[in-house]
Amino acid sequence: MIKVQNLSKDYVVKLKEKGLKGMAKSLIHTEKKIVHAVQNVNFSIGEGELVGYIGPNGAGKSTTIKMLCGILQPTGGSVSVCGITPSKNRIQNALNVGAVFGQKTQLWWDLPVRETFELLKRMYSIPDAVYQKNMKDFTEYLELTGFVDQPVRQLSLGQRMRCEIAASLLHSPKVLYLDEPTIGLDINVKIKMREFIKRINAERGVTIILTTHDLQDIEELAKRIIVINHGTVGFDGSMKELAARYAGGQHTVSFTLDDEVETIMLPEGMQGHYSLKKDGYHVTITHDAALPASDIITAVVTQYHISDIDIKGPQIEDVVLEVYQQ
Amino acid sequence: MKRLIFYVKLYPYFVSRSVQARMTYKADFNLGVLASMLMQALGFVFIWAVFREVPEMNGWTFDQMMFVYGMSAICLGLNEFLFAGTWAVGGYVQEGSLDRLLLRPVSTMFSVMAADVTLHGIGSAIFGLVICVVSLVNLQLELTLVTLLFWIVAMVCGTLVYFAINMICATLAFWITDTGSAMMLLQNVSEFSKYPTAIYQRFLQIILSFVIPFAFTSYYPSVFVLGMSHNPIYWLGTILAAVVLVLLSVLFWRYALSKYQSAGG
C-alpha cells in the first residue's frame, strides 16, 4: 500500500546575521545551511495496517508525512502510495488519502461545519450515496449532532478535532495520515477519537499512519511502531518488541515521608530490580517492569508513614531515547 | 476540458460560500459597498470638474472618457470581488498553510483564487456599469451585436488582466516576505487605467501597455467599443493580453511552487 525507499529530504536554511550590518549583507549574499530532515528512510506498510510513527520534535515525522501527501518534493529516494508517486501525481494521490494535522485546521473558519463538508463533497466529486452514508456513520460515531451547523470558529477544540477527522474521511480514502490528532484534547475526547480511529481501521480497512507524543495513543492503537530520530529510522517493529526494549529503568515511584529515616529497607526478593535515591523526606525508587509498582508501594506503606505517592510510567521521549541509546 | 468544466462549476460554489462567510459581518459588508461606491464617485467628480474647464483632452471628450473610467471600475471591481484570495498568498507561504491547499485534489492556483471574496468589489462594478451605460446614452452610440459581445468579452479579459498581474505579484511571496506593499503599489498604478492612456506621456503609455499592461483593461477595449478606431490591435490586443498574462501567472505560480518548502513542524 505504502512503500518508502531511501527517502531523504534536505531543507535549505538561510542564515541571517544579526543587526543592521547583517541585514545589509544578506541583501547581497546569504549564508546557506543544509538541514537533513529525513535521511534514507525505508519502510513499507500493508493494507489495513495501523502504524505509529513516533519520535521527538523535529525528528522528521511531519516531513515524512508531507512527502507521503505530495506536499513536499523528496530530495532523494522514492515514495509510492497505492501505486502512485505523490510528488508527481499530487491530485490523483489526494483522492486516495486523507490527512489530519492536529496543529492546523482544514475547515473553513467562518462557515458552519456542514458547509465545509458540502464543499469537500464537490471538490472530491463524492457520489451522493457515499456522502450520505459517511455523514450518517461519522455523525453517529463521533457524536457530531448539535454542532455541525455552527461556524467553526465557535467550536471547542474537541468538537473541531472530531469534525476534522470526519472531514478527512468523507471521500472514503484508502490511506489516512494522522499527525498529532489528539494534541491538546481532554481525556474524554481522546478516548472518543481513539475508539473512532480503531473502528474505521477495523470496519473499513483504512490504512493509518499515526504520529503522536501520547504514549497512550500508541499503546492502544498501534500494533506496529516506527521510531524516527534525527531523520533516520531507529526502530521498526511491534509494540511488544518496543516494550521489551524499554522495559529497563524508566518506571519510578516517589514517596514523601512523614518522618526522616536513616535507610529504606525493601524485601530481599526485590533486590536487583530497583535503585533507590533518598533526599531528606523524599525517596525516589526507579524499578524495572519485572517489579510491579504496587509491590513497592505495599512494602513501603507497611513499614513507613508516608504523606504522598507519585507513580510515573515510561514517557514516549524516554522510549525514543532508549531506542537510540541501544 | 472535463477538468476545466469541473473548475468552472466549482468556482461559483466557492464564491457563494465566501460571500456567506463574509455576510456574517453584515455592517462590514454594507459599509464596504457604500465606501467603494463613494470612492469611485469621488474620482469621477474629479474628472467632471476638470472637463468643465477643458471640453476635450487629446481628442477625448468627457463622455468617451466616462466609458474608459467605467470599464476600469467594472474590471477592477470584478477582480476584487472574485479573486480576492490572491491577497492572502503571502500569509499562506509564511504560515505554511499552503499545505492545506496541497492536500486537496484541485489545482492550488484555483484554491488560492477562490479562497476569498471582497464584497465591496461589487460596489465598484455596479458603479462602473452605470457610468458606461450613461456614457453610451450620451454619445448616442448604437452598439452592434459584435461590439456588444466584444464589450462583454472585454470585461472578462480586463478582469483577468487585473487578476493575472496581481497573481504574479502575489507569487513573489515565495521569495520576499512582504508582498502587501508591492500589491498596494500596483493598486496605485492601476489608477492610471481609469483615464485614456492616450492622454499620458509616451513613457507612461509604454509602461501601461507593455510593462504593467493595465491599459488593456480599459483604454484598448474602449477605443474599439466606442468605434474610435478599427485597428485590430484594440480588440485583438485586449484578448491576447489576457491570455498571455494568465498563462504567465500560471507558469510563474508553478515555478514558485516547485521551489516551495513548507514551514517546519
Side-chain angles (χ1 to χ4, degrees):
Chain A
M1 190 112 259
I2 300 171
K3 216 172 157 80
V4 171
Q5 279 176 314
N6 302 322
L7 185 66
S8 302
K9 176 71 190 177
D10 299 338
Y11 288 115
V12 179
V13 181
K14 283 185 190 135
L15 297 175
K16 280 190 184 133
E17 283 174 54
K18 276 183 195 157
L20 209 61
K21 211 172 148 192
M23 233 168 77
K25 245 186 185 171
S26 73
L27 283 176
I28 304 153
H29 176 76
T30 41
E31 289 282 331
K32 282 173 188 168
K33 199 180 108 191
I34 292 173
V35 176
H36 306 287
V38 171
Q39 295 177 69
N40 265 313
V41 165
N42 288 285
F43 59 77
S44 101
I45 293 171
E47 195 171 347
E49 271 195 85
L50 204 171
V51 178
Y53 194 53
I54 62 172
N57 288 328
K61 300 185 301 278
S62 293
T63 303
T64 313
I65 301 273
K66 280 175 187 171
M67 286 191 279
L68 291 175
C69 290
I71 292 173
L72 286 178
Q73 309 272 339
T75 316
S78 69
V79 179
S80 160
V81 179
C82 308
I84 290 168
T85 308
S87 59
K88 294 217 176 81
N89 216 331
R90 183 183 67 80
I91 290 182
Q92 268 304 311
N93 181 62
L95 292 168
N96 288 331
V97 307
V100 174
F101 293 98
Q103 317 256 35
K104 283 169 191 160
T105 181
Q106 313 224 47
L107 308 165
W108 270 263
W109 200 242
D110 281 323
L111 287 178
V113 185
R114 195 184 295 280
E115 296 290 353
T116 294
F117 292 164
E118 288 280 336
L119 257 171
L120 291 172
K121 174 177 186 267
R122 281 173 168 78
M123 252 199 254
Y124 286 88
S125 310
I126 307 170
D128 276 325
V130 176
Y131 180 75
Q132 299 299 347
K133 165 113 179 43
N134 284 345
M135 277 300 279
K136 197 177 142 270
D137 285 358
F138 301 157
T139 308
E140 184 196 324
Y141 299 166
L142 291 164
E143 296 166 33
L144 302 180
T145 16
F147 55 85
V148 272
D149 290 309
Q150 273 179 36
V152 174
R153 67 186 138 80
Q154 289 174 7
L155 300 185
S156 71
L157 182 64
Q159 291 172 328
R160 211 195 75 209
M161 285 314 294
R162 281 185 275 163
C163 293
E164 299 269 1
I165 197 166
S168 71
L169 285 163
L170 267 186
H171 58 290
S172 300
K174 297 184 191 113
V175 179
L176 179 66
Y177 306 117
L178 299 169
D179 194 0
E180 301 185 39
T182 57
I183 197 163
L185 300 180
D186 69 45
I187 191 71
N188 286 322
V189 181
K190 266 188 189 174
I191 289 169
K192 232 175 245 169
M193 288 285 272
R194 283 180 200 141
E195 273 172 8
F196 181 73
I197 293 167
K198 246 189 252 175
R199 196 160 181 175
I200 52 147
N201 176 247
E203 285 178 9
R204 297 173 171 231
V206 179
T207 309
I208 300 174
I209 297 185
L210 167 75
T211 80
T212 182
H213 287 288
D214 189 328
L215 191 58
Q216 202 78 27
D217 282 350
I218 293 290
E219 277 173 348
E220 280 193 30
L221 294 170
K223 289 184 195 76
R224 177 179 163 197
I225 288 157
I226 299 173
V227 183
I228 185 171
N229 199 3
H230 303 303
T232 53
V233 169
F235 175 87
D236 183 352
S238 69
M239 189 68 217
K240 250 188 205 155
E241 278 175 68
L242 188 63
R245 282 217 200 173
Y246 71 72
Q250 303 299 337
H251 305 254
T252 60
V253 185
S254 320
F255 299 95
T256 308
L257 301 169
D258 276 345
D259 322 293
E260 194 157 3
V261 290
E262 296 248 323
T263 49
I264 300 276
M265 295 293 289
L266 289 181
E268 283 289 316
M270 293 184 185
Q271 285 296 330
H273 290 295
Y274 71 91
S275 62
L276 195 144
K277 225 171 74 189
K278 204 165 82 61
D279 179 19
Y281 291 99
H282 297 282
V283 180
T284 306
I285 300 170
T286 308
H287 61 101
D288 61 29
L291 177 61
S294 57
D295 288 6
I296 299 173
I297 295 168
T298 316
V300 173
V301 168
T302 47
Q303 294 180 69
Y304 309 96
H305 290 285
I306 59 160
S307 61
D308 197 15
I309 308 179
D310 187 25
I311 309 168
K312 267 209 188 98
Q315 299 292 302
I316 206 155
E317 272 70 24
D318 301 331
V319 176
V320 172
L321 217 67
E322 188 103 347
V323 167
Y324 280 88
Q325 278 164 357
Q326 281 175 12
Chain B
M1 197 61 205
K2 224 172 125 193
R3 203 66 194 153
L4 192 70
I5 294 168
F6 168 77
Y7 284 130
V8 169
K9 273 191 180 160
L10 196 57
Y11 208 88
Y13 192 77
F14 262 87
V15 169
S16 72
R17 290 314 85 165
S18 299
V19 170
Q20 189 192 348
R22 287 279 170 189
M23 285 290 220
T24 47
Y25 311 100
K26 277 202 189 70
D28 192 41
F29 165 64
N30 291 331
L31 224 70
V33 172
L34 199 73
S36 79
M37 280 177 123
L38 261 174
M39 279 228 322
Q40 293 292 347
L42 222 64
F44 186 71
V45 166
F46 171 73
I47 43 172
W48 174 76
V50 169
F51 268 86
R52 282 186 43 177
E53 305 300 323
V54 240
E56 220 188 74
M57 211 179 256
N58 281 19
W60 284 74
T61 66
F62 176 61
D63 290 324
Q64 288 169 329
M65 255 187 160
M66 248 168 98
F67 193 83
V68 176
Y69 196 93
M71 264 309 271
S72 162
I74 292 172
C75 299
L76 210 64
L78 286 179
N79 171 57
E80 255 187 286
F81 172 55
L82 292 173
F83 308 124
T86 47
W87 285 85
V89 174
Y92 290 144
V93 177
Q94 279 153 45
E95 293 158 22
S97 48
L98 204 65
D99 294 0
R100 187 181 89 149
L101 307 184
L102 283 161
L103 265 180
R104 304 266 160 76
V106 290
S107 136
T108 42
M109 191 158 150
F110 173 89
S111 298
V112 166
M113 285 160 76
D116 201 3
V117 296
T118 312
L119 291 170
H120 64 235
I122 301 177
S124 304
I126 293 172
F127 176 81
L129 197 64
V130 171
I131 291 288
C132 279
V133 170
V134 172
S135 144
L136 288 174
V137 171
N138 284 353
L139 288 166
Q140 293 176 314
L141 263 183
E142 282 199 26
L143 294 186
T144 61
L145 187 65
V146 176
T147 0
L148 185 68
L149 280 179
F150 173 76
W151 186 26
I152 294 165
V153 171
M155 288 183 209
V156 176
C157 288
T159 308
L160 288 175
V161 166
Y162 275 130
F163 158 71
I165 293 173
N166 253 339
M167 189 70 206
I168 289 169
C169 185
T171 307
L172 290 174
F174 286 89
W175 290 276
I176 55 177
T177 331
D178 182 22
T179 47
S181 44
M183 287 180 81
M184 280 308 276
L185 182 76
L186 265 187
Q187 208 168 38
N188 288 334
V189 174
S190 74
E191 291 283 312
F192 285 114
S193 66
K194 288 181 172 169
Y195 313 103
T197 312
I199 67 168
Y200 301 128
Q201 288 180 331
R202 187 123 215 109
F203 175 68
L204 207 51
Q205 286 182 10
I206 290 169
I207 298 247
L208 290 172
S209 303
F210 301 107
V211 185
I212 313 173
F214 283 129
F216 288 100
T217 64
S218 55
Y219 168 69
Y220 286 95
S222 299
V223 168
F224 183 80
V225 173
L226 298 176
M228 296 167 77
S229 166
H230 291 287
N231 192 330
I233 187 173
Y234 292 102
W235 65 271
L236 195 63
T238 304
I239 295 166
L240 271 180
V243 172
V244 169
L245 281 168
V246 168
L247 220 66
L248 272 179
S249 69
V250 171
L251 290 177
F252 188 40
W253 176 256
R254 286 203 181 150
Y255 173 73
L257 213 55
S258 72
K259 298 256 171 260
Y260 172 66
Q261 309 185 325
S262 80

